[in-house]
Amino acid sequence: MAERRATGAQDAKQYLPATSSVGSGDLLCPQRLRVLLPLPLSGAFSYSAPADLALAAGDLVRVPLGRREVVGVVWDGTLEEDGLPAEKLKPITAKLDLPPLTTAHRRFIDWVAGYSLAPPGAVLRMSLSSPGALAPPKPIRRVVQSGRPLPESLKLTSARRRLLTAAEDGFARSQAELARAAGVGVGVVKGLVEAGALDEVEVTPRLSTAVPNWRQEGPTLSPDQEAAARDLRAKIDDGFSVTLLDGVTGSGKTEVYFEAVAAALAAERQVLVLLPEIALSAQWLERFAARFGTPPVAWHSDLKSSQRQLTWRAVAEGQARVVVGARSALFLPYPELGLIVVDEEHEAAFKQEDGVIYHARDMAVVRAHLDSFPIVLASATPSLETTVNVESGKYSELRLPNRHGGAVLPQVELIDLRQDPPQRDPEIGTSWLSPPLLKALEETLQSGSQALLYLNRRGYAPLTLCRACGHRFECPSCTAWLVEHRFLGRLVCHHCGYSQRAPESCPACGEVEALTPIGPGVERLAEEVAARFPEARTRIMSSDSLQGPADAAELIRSIQAHELDIVIGTQLAAKGHHFPLLTLVGVIDADLGLKGGDLRAGERTYHLLHQVAGRAGRAERPGRVLIQTYDPDHPVMRALADGDRDRFVNLETEQRKAGGWPPFGRLAAIILSAPDQDTVERSARLLARSAPSLPGLRVLGPAEAPLAVLRGRHRRRFLIKARRDLPLQTILRHWVGGLELPNAVRLAVDVDPYSFW
Ligand code: ADP
Ligand code: ZN
């Protein structure tokens, strides 16, 4: 398993046939190769390739860098002149025993780097994301049957006999596994190893994965589903295509794209399914396992490093046939990728906001294009970008208009908070539940159904104010209020994680009992619910109340098992869970997401509320959704109430088109930050002075970012708005490429920005 080390020119001579006419001088003149290192450097470096290492583009190699050795990839284009004389080049030291990165993958890395203006090495680093994976896995010790006759002196107790029988299958197991299989103690295993009746061997660990069984029958599909599945099956192995699978929640999109997955497996291709929140998709994993007889290979940021290492290798070596992952799974080194599915394609979580800034859905389309295979985008509320691509004929579309099994879509009603405001209760205090919602809750509980109250705000209250002096609690390193988390007894910054004990008196005026929570968070809502419905079994579902995926799975199970009556949830509760007994969804503050007022605020709010609404009435019991709003005439609210998605989408489209906003125009943001305000201001002015001036391009800013200070860094933003036909990346590269900024200043370019803070 060892990597091939270069033997050096001296040793290389011995491989020459004795009669060779090649002079040693020729042999010693090494090939010049470009090697891309997984570091944020400007490009690939030149190295010399020792003649005894047969190297080709894509090979993983070890090279010297300063005093270190690092792993890099032989990159394309050997002959580029970098002015370094050949004898100055350092030699590649070894070739790793790993499959090469494919041509398509290398082109993908270059493409992403070019598009996002990130150094190619930074993109490569995402592909080699697991440094440990590159080293051969550490062998582990196992015991096996020795195969030799038993030593004559061996005393055969009944425990030993059982153990030897259990080992007869010849499998290599750990001592503990073997002991368990035979129902004996580990000491018995050790004894037999010492006596020479069992052998200890070293084996290379592998990810335990089975090939998903695509021959297994799926459910009988409805005619709509079958038509969609047929279309997708036909696209496997038929070159590049993008298909939007557009269907209401519960219409069977997952079942349909499982058919495409089966077809890709049958064609001996690897499959990647991108999900926005892998950590919370236990249900998805179970469904996959039920359909294909084995769970898929999961890739996400919570993997332990040993697991990451084995998984990376299993992907690179092609044992992992179906990978499900968050956005970073897109950069794994698949040798045989033949299908990508992006589920919930409209989700903003596909946008990576730091490091290399990219949109995983968009880059997945690029990956499919470069490697000529189909990609499926699934959503109940497709993004405007995707919708426009369908309309222009770039993408094709499959629709699943009905919920499976005749479940009807829930009835959506708006509660106008101007007419029906929540009533303050002398016992309970401030209320967040309007009378119609309270009544609906009562009815739901009486009928033995469940309710979800949706409020996308963690903690107890978003702001704490001193009634005596007006003091507000602000984060010391961000432009943000501290959010009270009453369970923790702390005030927390949701941007940087700073927290402090919730004080009893105002730190500004010293007044006791004057600190007042302003506005609701899920904890405060839970307090009201507990006071009003003391009998109801209630729980909060938010990232604070759950300690990881296992906890989330347990909560989901307990909702399904009707161990809870009311769930109070943030965005987490909106995701694709299936709760058959849930019939009422109450949206506490529908206007919350619209307040930011950025480009996609309306679209995002519509997506989220539509998704939350989709939690109601997923089975036989019809669902009801009550949306509390101060703005019932807002197009988003009208679209939800009337179930008229198309009208809303058309309206959004018209507005974006008229303003030249994406996807009809292009946007990029530049964010400058520095620990001190003066430095960042000066750099921003410098950048402004050299801003490009071109017809069809506008540079807005510099402006103080809405989050003017984040983690102690002062921030300034530029927004660049360009006509679609302008070469935005080239313009940006020329603009920022030539600048000399102080070291303390960080400059980030965000092409196609989704967040504007
Ligand atoms: P979506 O992905 O569109 O939200 P799902 O694929 O999750 O829809 O389907 C919703 C529910 O209906 C799931 O529990 C799924 O197993 C079930 N379902 C969908 N289609 C079928 C079918 N043809 N036969 C049996 N069950 C189905
Ligand atoms: Zn902060």
Side-chain angles (χ1 to χ4, degrees), residues 219-222 225 248-255 287 404 618:
T220 310
L221 299 180
S222 71
Q225 291 174 339
V248 293
T249 33
S251 58
K253 295 185 293 298
T254 314
E255 298 298 345
R287 277 183 71 181
H404 174 74
R618 301 257 300 179

Side-chain angles (χ1 to χ4, degrees), residues 248-250 401-403 406-412 610 613-614 616-617 622-625 643:
V248 293
T249 33
N402 305 312
R403 279 190 156 184
V408 287
L409 282 169
Q411 182 197 345
V412 179
H610 179 91
R624 210 176 152 200
V625 181

Side-chain angles (χ1 to χ4, degrees), residues 469-483:
C469 74
H471 175 77
R472 296 160 173 228
F473 288 82
E474 201 178 349
C475 176
S477 30
C478 304
T479 316
W481 306 126
L482 293 178
V483 178

Side-chain angles (χ1 to χ4, degrees), residues 368-385:
H369 185 247
L370 290 173
D371 221 356
S372 301
F373 60 72
I375 174 167
V376 177
L377 311 177
S379 176
T381 51
S383 64
L384 207 72
E385 278 75 7

